Amino acid sequence: MSAVARTTSAESASAEGSYLFDAAWDQETERLRANEALWDEGTFVRLERLGVGEGWSCLEVGAGQGSVAHWLAGRVGPGGRVVAADLDVDALSEVARPPLEVRRLDVRTDELPADTFDLVHARMVLQHLKDPETVVRRLVGTLKPGGRIFLEDTDALTLFRSAVAEDFLKDVHTAAYTVMEQTGYSMRGGHFDHRAALRCGLEDVSAEGRAVMVQGGSLRARMYVLWLEYLRPKLIAQGLLTSGRIDEAVRAMNDPSNHWLSQVLISTYGRRPA
């Protein structure tokens, strides 16, 4: 859930939409690392499938802690180039060495290089934005003819589906996404990525979804614990959940006997016409 649209405060959305999570929150790095543990494996498999290799030029949008950008740098080699872009780039200093470049960039408004990249990838970025289709068009313009775009955003409907109970953490799901949508976040963001790709003149457009079974108490579960803890003040202030109910949910997420389904992360692919 790292986004180029990140704000430096947790204030509600502007007219452009805003990233929900505060980069200055003392547990944000841990949350992002747990998010990488949840999704990186599947992302790397799909990047391999796209054929990323020696000499490629890649743009990683919303690079976060840099795990995907670092992986891409290892694939493109010294003859390639990876630009890791985000609004908060402090965490990327550890991976900033050739062929990986770090750039502070807002893909909504900043000037973008034209006809430059073989691949543009963005994960959990566009669903935080008010007008994702416009951003997709801008990103497509950075591709070389024949270059590929790979977008990943979620459909949140499946989150917390569980064998434990049909309504396992359902109230938490409803309350948390009520708060998230107040920032302009879209629970169906992955669907809009696909629609945007179809509308932007791309070829070979396709999409697929993947979900992960999460065990309570695991690093993957930790991401959801931290997500809920971050939202706690807003949930309580708006009367959506009590502090006691949040404590119960955290205990359930930390219980190794519980397993639940993640969101569906929808991967959308498209190619700029040669």
Side-chain angles (χ1 to χ4, degrees):
M1 298 182 184
S2 174
V4 159
R6 177 179 296 179
T7 57
T8 57
S9 71
E11 296 178 0
S12 297
S14 68
E16 297 292 332
S18 65
Y19 189 59
L20 174 69
F21 296 94
D22 186 349
W25 184 44
D26 59 2
Q27 292 181 290
E28 179 62 358
T29 296
E30 183 185 2
R31 189 192 66 82
L32 289 172
R33 291 298 188 196
N35 192 63
E36 291 172 348
L38 188 64
W39 299 118
D40 272 1
E41 181 179 357
T43 294
F44 297 160
V45 167
R46 284 153 180 80
L47 288 168
E48 287 179 342
R49 189 189 302 163
L50 287 173
V52 179
E54 293 284 336
W56 278 43
S57 180
C58 305
L59 174 63
E60 175 65 15
V61 180
Q65 297 294 300
S67 63
V68 175
H70 179 72
W71 186 93
L72 287 169
R75 294 285 292 195
V76 305
R81 179 192 185 200
V82 176
V83 177
D86 209 318
L87 280 186
D88 177 12
V89 297
D90 291 345
L92 295 170
S93 60
E94 295 181 5
V95 295
R97 61 185 65 88
L100 195 155
E101 309 167 20
V102 173
R103 182 175 174 188
R104 187 184 185 280
L105 184 69
D106 188 331
V107 293
R108 300 168 301 180
T109 57
D110 290 344
E111 183 177 355
L112 303 177
D115 308 325
T116 299
F117 299 105
D118 299 292
L119 171 76
V120 172
H121 173 252
R123 186 174 72 192
M124 293 181 172
V125 175
L126 297 174
Q127 65 191 119
H128 290 273
L129 306 183
K130 183 178 181 181
D131 187 8
E133 185 171 326
T134 294
V135 174
V136 172
R137 290 185 184 277
R138 301 191 81 221
L139 294 176
V140 169
T142 72
L143 290 171
K144 299 175 183 177
R148 296 184 177 276
I149 194 166
F150 173 24
L151 307 172
E152 299 185 281
D153 281 301
T154 62
D155 181 327
L157 182 63
T158 59
L159 180 59
F160 297 133
R161 297 288 289 178
S162 173
V164 173
E166 187 173 346
D167 61 350
F168 176 69
L169 298 182
K170 184 176 181 180
D171 59 331
V172 174
H173 178 284
T174 299
Y177 280 101
T178 296
V179 169
M180 292 181 73
E181 288 184 311
Q182 292 168 2
T183 70
Y185 175 89
S186 171
M187 285 181 61
R188 297 181 292 135
H191 299 280
F192 298 119
D193 291 352
H194 181 243
R195 185 175 70 178
L198 290 170
R199 291 178 171 179
C200 288
L202 295 168
E203 297 179 343
D204 301 329
V205 174
S206 63
E208 60 177 339
R210 72 182 187 273
V212 177
M213 189 64 76
V214 179
Q215 181 178 17
S218 66
L219 178 56
R220 289 173 170 178
R222 182 67 177 160
M223 200 283 294
Y224 293 103
V225 170
L226 292 171
W227 168 72
L228 184 58
E229 290 291 4
Y230 184 84
L231 295 175
R232 180 190 286 263
K234 291 181 180 293
L235 292 166
I236 294 173
Q238 295 185 34
L240 296 170
L241 292 174
T242 66
S243 182
R245 177 55 185 141
I246 294 172
D247 290 343
E248 290 175 355
V250 168
R251 286 194 292 271
M253 293 179 189
N254 284 327
D255 184 345
S257 68
N258 287 330
H259 295 78
W260 65 86
L261 201 62
S262 70
Q263 314 96 302
V264 174
L265 188 63
I266 297 176
S267 298
T268 295
Y269 315 93
R271 181 171 58 83
R272 184 176 178 181

